[in-house]
Amino acid sequence: MAYEIFEHAADAGLRVRARDLNGLFRDAAAGLFDLVTDYAALQKTPEEVLRTVEMNFREENAPELFMHWLQELLFFFSARKLIPVRFDFITLTPLMLKMKGKAALFDPRRHVSRHEVKAVTHHRFRVFQTPGGWEAEVILDI
Amino acid sequence: MTSSIPLIKLDDFRWEIPVSWKPGMRVPGRIFCDEKNLPKVLSDRSLEQVANVAFLPGIVRYSLAMPDIHWGYGFPIGGVAATDPNEGGVVSPGGVGYDINCGVRMLRTNLTEKDVRPRLKELVGALFSRIPCGVGESGDIRLNAKEMRQMVCKGSAWAVGRGFGEARDLAYTEAEGCLEGAEPGTVSERAYERGADQLGTLGSGNHFLEIQVVEKIFDPAAAERFGVAEGGVTVMIHSGSRGFGYQVCEDSLAAARRALSKYGIQVPDIQLACAPVHSGEGKQYLAAMRCAANFAWANRQCLAHLARQVFERFFERGPRDLGMDLIYDVAHNIAKFERFTVDGKERLLCVHRKGATRSFAPGHDELPEDYRDTGQPVIIPGDMGRNSCLLAGTRRAMEETFGSCCHGAGRALSRTAALNAARGHSIRRELEERGIIVMARGEKGIAEEQPAAYKDVNEVVETVSGAGLARKVARMRPIGVIKG
């Protein structure tokens, strides 16, 4: 697993380490959605029923871009029950993200339900470069 | 971790963090806790958060912590802070939290355990199939954009107007189930989209609907007034503003972070981001937060209506015969303007309750007529295996805690620790053997919310009662639980 979940009081912390930003953002999505459901099972959704999702935004720095990414993913799930499972990052720099992807439609009657993630918090939030690439830590309110 | 904090013991239930501890604190911290539970409070960084809250501009008297305090985001859970808008007082979205107006309501019935016990499993099953709960579950109540905006302006009254409950319910709801000054135009489209299919849904995590039996009465006069008697069946509902409120908080935190530099406010934790109550940002947050608070009241009103419908059909008895009256509905994540006498002078304060329940004293004009001499019902949910408690507000709470009390038992184990503790045995089966039927979307969720994951609510209640912040009225035990 390219991410780890750590404890924080009643909630969950997500720690991701990756060689590049693509890996960091992709693995963070896997970590977030594994808290919500069985993400690996959703990833096996047949291609023909997947929906197209697009994201395009800029931020002032890599941490804010990463925060925006997680908040965007959570919004897609919470409001539209869409869980992005394929990502094609057209542009991904520390300041800008442009992504075209495919999302599976979550059905609580068919898919595993784990936690309702309420929000991505700024509490002890950090994203930084390491000799081996990038690392991020974020607390998710459950 | 916080052992370096110089705690001063004031009496058996009160501790103080001196204002001198951290440069920047404007008032002392005051913690309500007994000696036995102090090590638990010291085991995380919640006391540091109590001190951090004391930095908020305009904070009055103390940064307060209730005995169920634990580590939160910016504010501790179990934190109370009142600010004076006329002295530069701020409002902080973190002082309310993501689940705006998360709260509890309690209904009485004319049923006794004997009526329910023989068909308990079927009754819990009927509730579980009727009341949407769990991750990604949609409710049956769908509103168009116009109705949604009306609902967030009117709260419980909107729901009652649509036939979800009775007019009487409003008087037995904090603030009559509606905060004035909600402005739907201040809420983002994203919040509306997240909340669109979530009205009348319970949610997940620690939210629940429980069938309970009154196990012990402490104050017969107040219990009679609240309509509860030993052996009687009650229903408790714990839920909030769902995705609508989470999004309002997220949107507001971003604006509040920008406001810090604009107004030159220094706080030691970014999650304490805030804006002066009188500023554009402060007003905007309050207007949106009130919409979310009203969403939550409408939500609990709809959930109670669904529960009443299930009971009526199940027992084939009419509403009057069942007597499922609302005892009270309290918010425990909210910011409200309330009047308090501070140093002999009445002041209108912005009271933040982050995991704290209002506890208004007898005689308060916001209480319904028949509760004027008892004080406000204070509903303290515990865990699914032991107890929940019903208390009544006191004058001492008005004097010391801006009319506030604890909101629950507080967690004793993290989710992972609770899962580890449950490994190899079924919590659901163990509870069933003790006569408690639990239905939830997953076994894991039950393990995470198992009784051992929480402190014993009775200990927390002993502390608030010993400190005089509320008076014990009744103790209930759960017999049926539905969870997300």
Side-chain angles (χ1 to χ4, degrees):
Chain A
M1 208 65 86
Y3 66 85
E4 58 183 292
I5 301 293
F6 60 93
E7 291 184 356
H8 181 272
D11 298 316
L14 173 65
R15 186 178 294 118
V16 191
R17 293 187 186 94
R19 267 206 294 257
D20 55 25
L21 281 175
N22 278 28
L24 190 81
F25 279 55
R26 203 180 296 266
D27 293 346
L32 170 69
F33 288 125
D34 254 340
L35 278 168
V36 172
T37 182
D38 179 355
Y39 188 56
L42 267 289
Q43 284 178 308
K44 289 177 192 147
T45 305
E47 202 68 33
E48 61 272 20
V49 294
L50 294 177
R51 317 258 178 110
T52 301
V53 286
E54 290 182 29
M55 294 183 197
N56 187 355
F57 48 82
R58 288 169 180 274
E59 287 293 345
E60 284 176 12
N61 51 49
E64 286 309 313
L65 195 82
F66 183 80
M67 173 62 69
H68 196 150
W69 166 245
L70 289 181
Q71 289 178 337
E72 203 73 7
L73 291 172
L74 186 57
F75 173 75
F76 269 85
F77 172 67
S78 176
R80 299 168 190 171
K81 298 184 175 50
L82 289 174
I83 295 192
V85 290
R86 314 239 194 293
F87 307 99
D88 178 11
F89 292 106
I90 297 154
T91 311
L92 182 52
T93 70
L95 307 181
M96 188 181 168
L97 178 147
K98 196 170 177 187
M99 187 277 297
K100 255 190 166 179
K102 294 278 185 184
L105 189 65
F106 177 81
D107 177 353
R109 305 282 148 170
R110 288 196 299 120
H111 298 124
V112 172
S113 292
R114 288 182 179 153
H115 298 100
E116 181 179 66
V117 177
K118 292 178 185 168
V120 186
T121 79
H122 276 79
H123 181 68
R124 299 174 74 204
F125 168 59
R126 53 201 200 126
V127 176
F128 53 95
Q129 276 189 288
T130 63
W134 287 86
E135 188 169 330
E137 252 182 47
V138 66
I139 310 276
L140 304 166
D141 191 338
I142 289 175
Chain B
M1 217 174 244
T2 45
S3 54
S4 62
I5 293 183
L7 267 186
I8 300 165
K9 185 173 180 176
L10 302 176
D11 64 23
D12 287 347
F13 302 107
R14 289 168 180 77
W15 305 77
E16 187 159 303
I17 304 173
V19 67
S20 57
W21 180 57
K22 259 190 180 185
M25 283 174 71
R26 296 166 192 262
V27 291
R30 179 161 289 193
I31 298 102
F32 291 84
C33 184
D34 62 355
E35 192 111 30
K36 187 183 161 200
N37 281 299
L38 194 64
K40 282 183 199 158
V41 173
L42 290 167
S43 68
D44 62 26
R45 298 175 70 174
S46 50
L47 290 190
E48 196 178 320
Q49 294 187 321
V50 174
N52 291 345
V53 169
F55 281 64
L56 292 179
I59 187 166
V60 178
R61 293 190 75 189
Y62 309 106
S63 163
L64 294 157
M66 299 297 125
D68 49 338
I69 180 179
H70 53 278
W71 199 13
Y73 308 119
F75 266 65
I77 318 289
V80 177
T83 59
D84 189 336
N86 294 327
E87 292 185 358
V90 292
V91 62
S92 171
V96 174
Y98 287 102
D99 195 355
I100 295 167
N101 189 6
C102 184
V104 197
R105 70 168 46 195
M106 185 174 169
L107 299 108
R108 66 171 303 281
T109 72
N110 288 336
L111 300 165
T112 65
E113 187 171 8
K114 268 195 273 180
D115 300 317
V116 173
R117 179 59 71 186
R119 294 168 67 204
L120 180 61
K121 213 169 192 172
E122 287 168 72
L123 176 60
V124 177
L127 287 165
F128 190 59
S129 61
R130 183 72 186 100
I131 295 174
C133 52
V135 179
E137 276 287 342
S138 303
D140 294 334
I141 306 164
R142 299 297 166 89
L143 311 183
N144 62 34
K146 193 178 161 198
E147 287 172 317
M148 190 82 168
R149 281 157 179 76
Q150 286 171 344
M151 183 266 289
V152 300
C153 284
K154 292 183 177 172
S156 290
W158 176 89
V160 169
R162 284 283 296 260
F164 304 122
E166 303 157 13
R168 179 200 175 275
D169 295 341
L170 303 181
Y172 295 85
T173 304
E174 179 172 337
E176 299 198 355
C178 178
L179 290 187
E180 282 178 27
E183 289 175 31
T186 58
V187 174
S188 69
E189 284 308 314
R190 291 200 149 204
Y192 285 112
E193 204 178 332
R194 280 181 81 170
D197 65 349
Q198 296 194 335
L199 191 66
T201 65
L202 197 56
S204 181
N206 62 359
H207 291 167
F208 65 78
L209 182 147
E210 276 185 12
I211 305 169
Q212 303 172 337
V213 173
V214 179
E215 183 176 75
K216 189 170 172 59
I217 297 289
F218 299 99
D219 181 335
E224 193 186 347
R225 200 59 67 79
F226 295 165
V228 293
E230 260 176 37
V233 168
T234 56
V235 174
M236 191 176 279
I237 296 168
H238 179 205
S239 189
S241 50
R242 315 288 294 109
F244 185 86
Y246 313 157
Q247 189 66 42
V248 166
C249 181
E250 186 177 301
D251 296 339
S252 308
L253 276 170
R257 278 196 298 276
R258 290 191 293 273
L260 286 177
S261 55
K262 181 174 171 186
Y263 298 101
I265 298 169
Q266 288 184 336
V267 285
D269 182 341
I270 194 72
Q271 290 268 147
L272 286 174
C274 55
V277 168
H278 289 320
S279 69
E281 293 85 349
K283 285 178 187 161
Q284 166 114 1
Y285 169 64
L286 283 164
M289 187 273 299
R290 289 166 180 148
C291 291
N294 294 344
F295 184 111
W297 270 313
N299 187 36
R300 288 197 292 276
Q301 185 65 38
C302 292
L303 289 167
H305 175 70
L306 293 175
R308 282 169 167 160
Q309 272 188 336
V310 169
F311 271 72
E312 285 165 22
R313 283 175 197 162
F314 190 83
F315 291 101
E316 296 178 325
R317 288 167 72 170
R320 245 171 250 290
D321 190 19
L322 271 179
M324 281 185 82
D325 296 331
L326 181 60
I327 295 172
Y328 210 65
D329 177 304
V330 284
H332 53 224
N333 283 355
I334 205 157
K336 285 166 73 196
F337 289 97
E338 293 168 350
R339 289 187 182 280
F340 290 96
T341 304
V342 180
D343 301 326
K345 202 176 136 202
E346 192 182 88
R347 290 158 80 174
L348 182 66
L349 304 176
C350 178
V351 182
H352 300 72
R353 296 192 181 96
K354 173 76 193 83
T357 309
R358 201 185 68 173
S359 177
F360 274 2
H364 199 284
D365 58 13
E366 217 192 274
L367 300 182
E369 200 76 17
D370 49 343
Y371 292 170
R372 286 278 165 90
D373 57 346
T374 58
Q376 176 216 303
V378 176
I379 306 162
I380 312 295
D383 60 73
M384 61 166 98
R386 284 172 290 192
N387 298 115
S388 289
C389 294
L390 178 62
L391 296 90
T394 62
R395 195 152 307 285
R396 191 130 190 212
M398 304 305 281
E399 289 161 3
E400 287 195 40
T401 57
F402 306 105
S404 310
C405 182
C406 64
H407 87 307
R411 274 193 94 88
L413 297 178
S414 69
R415 292 182 184 277
T416 318
L419 279 177
N420 289 337
R423 196 152 288 156
H425 52 117
S426 163
I427 302 292
R428 188 200 302 262
R429 203 167 46 239
E430 285 172 11
L431 287 168
E432 192 167 339
E433 281 162 11
R434 291 172 46 206
I436 303 164
I437 304 298
V438 183
M439 292 191 187
R441 293 269 167 239
E443 196 72 30
K444 230 174 161 183
I446 299 178
E448 287 181 358
E449 293 292 316
Q450 63 177 297
Y454 286 88
K455 295 179 208 163
D456 185 350
V457 74
N458 293 299
E459 289 184 13
V460 174
V461 163
E462 282 309 317
T463 300
V464 289
S465 141
L469 302 183
R471 212 173 67 249
K472 290 193 287 181
V473 175
R475 185 174 74 216
M476 292 75 67
R477 62 181 160 80
I479 57 169
V481 184
I482 72 164
K483 289 192 76 76

